[in-house]
Amino acid sequence: MSIRFTAKARKGVVALTLAVGLAVSVAGCGGGGNDDKKPQASASASKGRGSGPSTQEGQSETPLAELKGTEGLLLQVTSAQRDAGGFVTVSGNLKNDGGKSVVVPPQMSGDETEIVKHGLSLGGATLVDPKGKKRYYVLRDTEGRPLTTTGLGTLQGGQSLPVFMQFPAPPTNTTEVTLQLPTFSSAGIQISG
């Protein structure tokens, strides 16, 4: 049931992102030399919003970072994309790098009651801007559901699952942040876009 909610939440983000992208494109129609940049921003914003990161997308990219978790869990970050809507989407793969089945630790959801009540997720993730001295928490929809992959459970040995997390965007001059996720090591990542 949580996966269904996530798909619904993603559809809302898709509609919002497409509306913002369209507004940016329409607003830029009268301009001279900026026409090349506006469609790229719009295409970039809508590219990652469809049905979430695809397995092909996650496997074909070299990871930006790898965060090691407990019992052989590994989070491979494949992209951190700044979108026109004012948020950053971090995508990757959650992998069981061991041979035995592993239950995803509930600590990954964080400890906020509003997020925890929606099931196992990556809701405890944060982006830290060390220069600006700010921490950014996972975004939520209007019903308090985290805008991350939800419905996590058990990963079989060697199994990989595409995942995503959305955060408010740091200032545009901030391109390097640290991704933190409970029970995992932290790692620096580069924001593109």
Side-chain angles (χ1 to χ4, degrees), residues 53 57-65 76-80 90-93 163:
E57 200 175 277
Q59 291 177 349
S60 64
E61 298 180 40
T62 303
L64 296 175
Q76 298 172 318
V77 178
T78 55
S79 71
V90 177
S91 300
N93 293 296
V163 295

Side-chain angles (χ1 to χ4, degrees), residues 4-81:
R4 197 163 140 202
F5 285 127
T6 302
K8 184 178 178 182
R10 282 193 212 161
K11 287 178 185 174
V13 172
V14 170
L16 176 63
T17 303
L18 290 176
V20 168
L22 182 60
V24 168
S25 294
V26 169
C29 284
N34 289 337
D35 288 350
D36 297 17
K37 293 181 184 176
K38 297 298 178 185
Q40 288 175 357
S42 177
S44 165
S46 62
K47 176 185 168 192
R49 289 324 103 210
S51 58
S54 70
T55 305
Q56 178 185 29
E57 200 175 277
Q59 291 177 349
S60 64
E61 298 180 40
T62 303
L64 296 175
E66 291 188 343
L67 288 73
K68 293 186 179 189
T70 58
E71 300 187 50
L73 288 177
L74 182 67
L75 176 62
Q76 298 172 318
V77 178
T78 55
S79 71
Q81 182 69 41

Side-chain angles (χ1 to χ4, degrees), residues 86-88 115 137-141 144-148 166-169:
F87 52 90
V88 170
I115 290 179
Y137 293 89
V138 168
L139 290 169
R140 299 177 197 153
D141 68 12
R145 288 185 295 266
L147 296 181
T148 71
Q166 290 186 324
F167 302 91

Side-chain angles (χ1 to χ4, degrees), residues 82 129 131-132 136 169-177 190-191 193:
R82 184 183 305 270
D129 173 4
K131 289 183 181 175
Y136 298 89
T172 53
N173 62 347
T174 300
T175 57
E176 293 182 25
V177 293
Q190 189 86 17
I191 298 175

Side-chain angles (χ1 to χ4, degrees), residues 101-125:
S101 296
V102 174
V103 176
V104 174
Q107 295 91 338
M108 289 172 51
S109 297
D111 57 6
E112 293 182 45
T113 306
E114 190 66 29
I115 290 179
V116 171
K117 76 178 185 181
H118 293 290
L120 284 175
S121 69
L122 303 175

